[in-house]
Amino acid sequence: MSNAWKCALGLAVGLGVFAGSAGAQFKNGSQATELNIPRLSQRGTVSQRIGLTDITIAYHRPEVGGREIWGKTVPYGKVWRAGANENTTITFSDDVSIEGKPLAAGTYGLHTIPDKDQWTIIFSKNSTSWAASATTRKKMRCASA
């Protein structure tokens, strides 16, 4: 056996000894836990009570990283699912009225149609969607912002 193979075998056995003893580092016998490393696009929530209604928004802030977002990454005039990683949601504890239109209590996915001067905000009954196609848009209630 060549010296390179002997060295590699010795290194593998040595690492195996260290790996085998790693499980014994917890005196109480507990298992190691998975390290939950934060995503680049961090999750955030905000809650506010307005009158008697609790409103909660859960979102992931997109990591811009020097990109030009509006009009480039997110084109103007097209439906955009707000947020990164997961759909942004808004929850109303009671029925509300938005621009004079009723919206039932519940959790909605937030989509938008961004334009340079005005955005359309869409409250989707599908709060877990990854995109808003023309067919899902028909099920949404819209309000301009």
Side-chain angles (χ1 to χ4, degrees):
M1 192 181 318
S2 71
N3 283 340
W5 280 103
K6 287 179 185 176
C7 182
L9 182 60
L11 183 59
V13 169
L15 288 175
V17 168
F18 286 125
S21 65
Q25 68 181 344
F26 300 105
K27 292 181 180 178
N28 66 359
S30 66
Q31 295 290 321
T33 58
E34 183 178 340
L35 181 59
N36 188 2
I37 298 172
R39 293 174 161 178
L40 286 177
S41 299
Q42 296 278 315
R43 183 177 195 277
T45 58
V46 62
S47 294
Q48 179 72 46
R49 176 168 276 197
I50 299 175
L52 300 175
T53 303
D54 293 319
I55 302 171
T56 300
I57 299 174
Y59 60 97
H60 284 82
R61 293 183 300 274
E63 175 66 34
V64 175
R67 297 176 293 164
E68 188 175 340
I69 302 299
W70 310 120
K72 297 286 183 174
T73 304
V74 176
Y76 291 127
K78 295 192 178 193
V79 176
W80 173 62
R81 185 211 65 179
N85 301 336
E86 298 170 16
N87 193 18
T88 295
T89 59
I90 186 166
T91 302
F92 301 100
S93 64
D94 298 294
D95 294 351
V96 296
S97 176
I98 299 186
E99 289 192 344
K101 297 178 184 176
L103 190 63
T107 298
Y108 295 88
L110 274 181
H111 294 76
T112 66
I113 302 174
D115 276 316
K116 285 184 180 183
D117 300 322
Q118 180 175 334
W119 285 36
T120 299
I121 307 296
I122 302 167
F123 299 91
S124 171
K125 292 179 182 179
N126 183 351
S127 63
T128 61
S129 66
W130 275 89
S133 66
T135 55
T136 59
R137 258 188 4 219
K138 291 178 186 173
K139 300 176 186 173
M140 299 176 185
R141 295 180 181 261
C142 299
S144 296

